[in-house]
Amino acid sequence: MRKRLISGILAGILAMSMAACGGSGSSAKTTAAGASSAAETTEAASKEAASGASSEAASGDSDVAYIKGKGTMIVGITDFEPMDYKEQGSDEWIGFDADLARKVAEDLGVEAQFVEIDWDNKILEMENKSVDVVWNGMTLTDEVTKSLSCTKPYLNNAQVVVVPSDVADKYQDKDSLKDLNFAVEVGSAGKEAAEENGLKTTEVSSQADALMNVQAKTADAAIIDLLMAGAMIGDGTSYPNLTHTVELSTEEYGIGCRKGSDLTDFIDEELDKFRKDGSLKELAEKYGVQDALVD
């Protein structure tokens, strides 16, 4: 009897031991399967994230795609007749450059929006994506061409001296300018021309302000773009008593995009198209800059 009891106890212990081993194996298999499934899910998510990042980067590399995606092309400008300006009592920006930018934006399928910028900060504004393009009678200086992706020249220009008409006879060559104080736009080609010729300057926020300073006699003279002088001074303008005399430098205008931007090539292609269909000349004639067009 005692032997049977001991045998029964041993059999029970053996059965429990086998059950425990079986349970341990099943749990291990379940844990391993769960870990494998989690690893596969993580790997799939990583691949999806990498694919999304790659797609976003590819889109981010294209300014044209970026502009189309947001539906607007932000154009950095200053008040600069006849390129970008507002008629009295109007909130609409017009001018040769403003109208030209609208034509390009229309072909992109987006709206052109104009933002006045501090001209001295135009490169920073571009890098920060505050604006998509600088389109404002921009002289192709070394600084500009090194920092921005620029279109081919589309207009010729010069930097000229503006003085009151009643003293213009005194200032017909560079030597006669040495004692004058010139109002110049900060960061402009006019400022650069003054420095190259050793002239004294007072910096103002725009070329329009430079003319106001001469009119108010707070500056002896100004240095501005020839195209602006043709539109804003002399008979029939807001400054009939001002005239331009000495031409300090000749230059070319271009349109500025971000470094490496595909928008540059798009605008060049657009300008070529407008030359061929005659719309560029027609627009230039509207604003009196047809003689400055680059063929």
Side-chain angles (χ1 to χ4, degrees):
M1 180 70 181
R2 186 178 177 185
K3 288 182 178 178
R4 287 197 196 99
L5 180 60
I6 292 172
S7 295
I9 293 171
L10 289 173
I13 292 172
L14 180 61
M16 290 175 64
S17 175
M18 290 179 69
C21 288
S24 175
S26 174
S27 175
K29 286 178 182 178
T30 301
T31 303
S36 175
S37 175
E40 289 173 1
T41 301
T42 302
E43 183 180 358
S46 297
K47 286 181 178 178
E48 184 177 349
S51 174
S54 175
S55 173
E56 185 178 342
S59 174
D61 289 340
S62 169
D63 263 357
V64 171
Y66 166 69
I67 291 166
K68 285 183 175 180
K70 62 192 179 79
T72 56
M73 181 175 75
I74 310 300
V75 185
I77 60 170
T78 65
D79 187 354
F80 175 15
E81 189 176 352
M83 312 309 287
D84 298 292
Y85 65 101
K86 295 177 182 178
E87 290 185 326
Q88 190 171 2
S90 173
D91 291 329
E92 181 185 12
W93 288 99
I94 60 172
F96 179 69
D97 276 352
D99 288 7
L100 197 53
R102 283 194 185 91
K103 283 174 65 68
V104 171
E106 184 179 348
D107 284 354
L108 274 171
V110 302
E111 178 189 357
Q113 292 185 357
F114 299 92
V115 176
E116 276 191 276
I117 61 173
D118 181 338
W119 194 243
D120 200 33
N121 292 333
K122 55 186 175 291
I123 294 168
L124 183 62
E125 296 276 11
M126 188 74 74
E127 291 173 347
N128 290 341
K129 287 197 170 182
S130 303
V131 299
D132 298 314
V133 60
V134 176
W135 204 325
N136 191 72
M138 183 177 70
T139 302
L140 295 174
T141 63
D142 288 342
E143 179 193 10
V144 163
T145 55
K146 286 176 183 176
S147 303
L148 299 176
S149 174
C150 299
T151 63
K152 298 172 185 174
Y154 68 109
L155 284 176
N156 293 305
N157 186 47
Q159 293 300 313
V160 296
V161 171
V162 174
V163 295
S165 303
D166 58 359
V167 296
D169 290 345
K170 298 179 181 178
Y171 306 112
Q172 294 295 321
D173 56 50
K174 291 181 181 180
D175 289 339
S176 64
L177 308 176
K178 299 300 182 183
D179 296 327
L180 299 181
N181 181 47
F182 289 85
V184 296
E185 181 184 32
V186 61
S188 67
K191 167 68 173 174
E192 189 174 308
E195 290 174 345
E196 288 173 354
N197 287 277
L199 303 176
K200 293 178 290 185
T201 62
T202 297
E203 292 183 311
V204 295
S205 60
S206 69
Q207 294 190 72
D209 285 346
L211 292 180
M212 290 174 61
N213 273 256
V214 180
Q215 181 81 350
K217 299 188 184 304
T218 53
D220 300 316
I223 301 173
I224 66 170
D225 290 39
L226 176 60
L227 291 179
M228 185 178 193
M232 291 196 67
I233 66 174
D235 293 340
T237 72
S238 300
Y239 299 99
N241 298 322
L242 300 183
T243 189
H244 65 85
T245 58
V246 183
E247 189 174 290
L248 295 176
S249 64
T250 57
E251 61 199 31
E252 294 174 316
Y253 284 168
I255 300 152
C257 305
R258 274 179 279 278
K259 205 70 176 172
S261 174
D262 57 348
L263 183 61
T264 312
D265 288 339
F266 183 86
I267 295 174
D268 272 332
E269 290 169 4
E270 288 284 283
L271 294 181
D272 284 341
K273 181 177 75 174
F274 299 155
R275 286 186 186 95
K276 290 175 183 175
D277 67 18
S279 60
L280 187 65
K281 183 178 180 183
E282 182 180 341
L283 193 58
E285 288 172 345
K286 177 180 177 180
Y287 291 102
V289 299
Q290 65 273 15
D291 292 339
L293 281 174
V294 174
D295 295 330

